[in-house]
Amino acid sequence: MMRTQLPGYSPLTATAIGKAWLSTVTGRSEVHGELLVGNLRASYAAEQALLTSSGTHALQIGISLARAVSRNGPDAPVALPAYSCYDLVTAAVGADAPVVFYDIDPGTLAPEPSSLDLALARKPFALVGANLCGYPLDWDLLRARAEASGAVLIEDAAQGLGSALHDRPGGSLGDLTVLSFSRGKGWTGGGGGALLARGPIVAAVRDAIAEFGERPVPGGRLSGGGSLAQWLLGRPSLYGLPRSIPRLGLGETRYRPPTPATPAALFSRSLAWSTRVPAAREVQARQAKAEELRGMIEEAVPGAAAGRSPSGVPSLPLPLGGGSAGYLRFPLLLSRDATELSGKPRAIRLGIASGYPRPLPDLEAETGLRVEAPAEVPGARILANRLVTLPTHALVRPRDMAQAVLLVSEFEAERA
């Protein structure tokens, strides 16, 4: 089978899976869940932590709680970035919340200031900021803007593992924080997520934790098959097999309708507890490879420049000043349609992938999303059309990086 690189990777071993399964069948998982909650509260300066069955469910709950406590009232919208994971729309629809969108700056992957101001002028009950590819946002600015407009600040840190702002870790910077432990987020529980809280909204989250305690835990005590498949097939020598099966949808971006939020499965609690240390070590490896990739691209690709406008030339987005990126993937803006590159067999084998194919406002008609005050989002459209990501994880070899940069260079030379 031809070697096929994974676009994203979370450290996982058979030993960790076995221990998590054993903990599940012996009842130890509940203890691991308590240890995980304690670790999250300490690591992310949170007063409360709620373990959920997915990061999407954590965000869905967070949006609902923010609506209940915001002084802007239940009829106000939630402010979302116009370019991000489709699961943000799923969460908003699941919370039955109207949405106002703000644009994203392609040069930093952060909110575009003037567009953000227009969205906040609508007095949303919550402002959601999302780390793309592990890039930091200016959370100090977002907090000030949110407080001025009466919005609860929600930090979607599902992709933010390893990011930081002024030495404060990503995941510790919102009134509410959303984490994900799905297979591609750098820290895996085979699924699951968490909602963290700090400040005035803590009481509402404490009530949600008590209410969640009355719900049955999904999956019972027999689970872990998906994680076993992830460990077995999630390596370049075998990944080509599941990647070639269309119904699995690997490499595709799909909208998933909302479902009722449920607690984290017992197995996920134990596995997330077991993989926390290797996940933290993996961050440093990703950061080192990302910086190496940046230098290689600047040298090999004519016109590549950090932070340069993406109009007509490839661009390397730069993390905001005072921040550092976790580089879940390495982002690159091409000079033309990204799918022309990412669809090439060589690109697939090297783990090069397009970003999200459409801005989130374009999902309105097919999802039941209610959009208030539709806005122009040119930055989001540039990202949807031109963004590709290169893998940075531990399974990427120097030869993979060199071949990926060569392919990007050849693709850009075709335009010249």
Side-chain angles (χ1 to χ4, degrees), residues 48-347:
Q48 291 291 335
L50 172 63
L51 300 179
T52 62
S53 56
S54 69
T56 306
H57 280 163
L59 180 57
Q60 183 173 314
I61 295 168
I63 291 173
S64 296
L65 294 177
R67 171 190 258 174
V69 304
S70 172
R71 68 174 184 262
N72 290 342
D75 296 327
V78 57
L80 297 182
Y83 185 83
S84 192
C85 177
Y86 288 8
D87 289 347
L88 270 68
V89 171
T90 301
V93 173
D96 193 27
V99 171
V100 59
F101 286 104
Y102 61 86
D103 202 11
I104 298 298
D105 179 355
T108 61
L109 305 184
E112 197 285 315
S114 61
S115 179
L116 179 63
D117 286 343
L118 289 174
L120 291 176
R122 305 289 301 181
K123 295 295 182 181
F125 66 81
L127 167 61
V128 178
N131 298 100
L132 288 170
C133 300
Y135 270 49
L137 308 184
D138 188 342
W139 291 103
D140 293 332
L141 173 65
L142 293 180
R143 177 171 292 283
R145 299 283 180 88
E147 290 177 351
S149 65
V152 174
L153 181 60
I154 301 179
E155 177 188 13
D156 182 353
Q159 298 183 29
L161 184 66
S163 67
L165 178 69
H166 303 306
D167 297 324
R168 291 173 294 163
S172 67
L173 303 168
D175 299 316
L176 293 172
T177 293
V178 172
L179 301 177
S180 174
F181 304 124
S182 68
R183 60 183 172 81
K185 297 301 192 297
W187 179 6
T188 188
L195 180 67
L196 314 181
R198 48 192 74 83
I201 201 168
V202 163
V205 174
R206 187 182 297 117
D207 290 343
I209 292 172
E211 192 271 334
F212 245 50
E214 303 299 321
R215 301 186 190 184
V217 176
R221 296 186 179 276
L222 296 177
S223 56
S227 295
L228 187 61
Q230 177 186 340
W231 166 75
L232 178 63
L233 300 174
R235 59 192 76 193
S237 59
L238 294 174
Y239 181 66
L241 176 60
R243 180 67 174 78
S244 67
I245 301 175
R247 68 183 180 87
L248 294 180
L250 298 179
E252 298 179 12
T253 300
R254 299 175 178 177
Y255 170 76
R256 296 175 292 183
T259 58
T262 53
L266 296 173
F267 175 84
S268 295
R269 302 177 196 206
S270 283
L271 188 59
W273 171 250
S274 297
T275 57
R276 71 195 187 284
V277 174
R281 288 198 299 260
E282 171 76 6
V283 169
Q284 295 181 338
R286 289 202 309 265
Q287 290 171 329
K289 287 182 178 177
E291 290 307 316
E292 188 174 354
L293 274 171
R294 186 181 299 280
M296 293 169 66
I297 291 171
E298 288 179 339
E299 181 177 351
V301 183
R308 181 179 297 183
S309 167
S311 177
V313 296
S315 176
L316 296 166
L318 272 177
L320 290 168
S324 59
Y327 291 110
L328 188 65
R329 300 179 186 179
F330 186 84
L332 173 66
L333 284 162
L334 302 175
S335 61
R336 64 184 194 274
D337 187 351
T339 59
E340 295 181 23
L341 173 63
S342 62
K344 293 178 180 290
R346 281 175 63 197

Side-chain angles (χ1 to χ4, degrees), residues 358-375:
R358 289 191 289 171
L360 297 189
D362 290 2
L363 302 180
E364 180 179 11
E366 66 197 66
T367 64
L369 182 70
R370 293 180 288 147
V371 179
E372 288 194 1

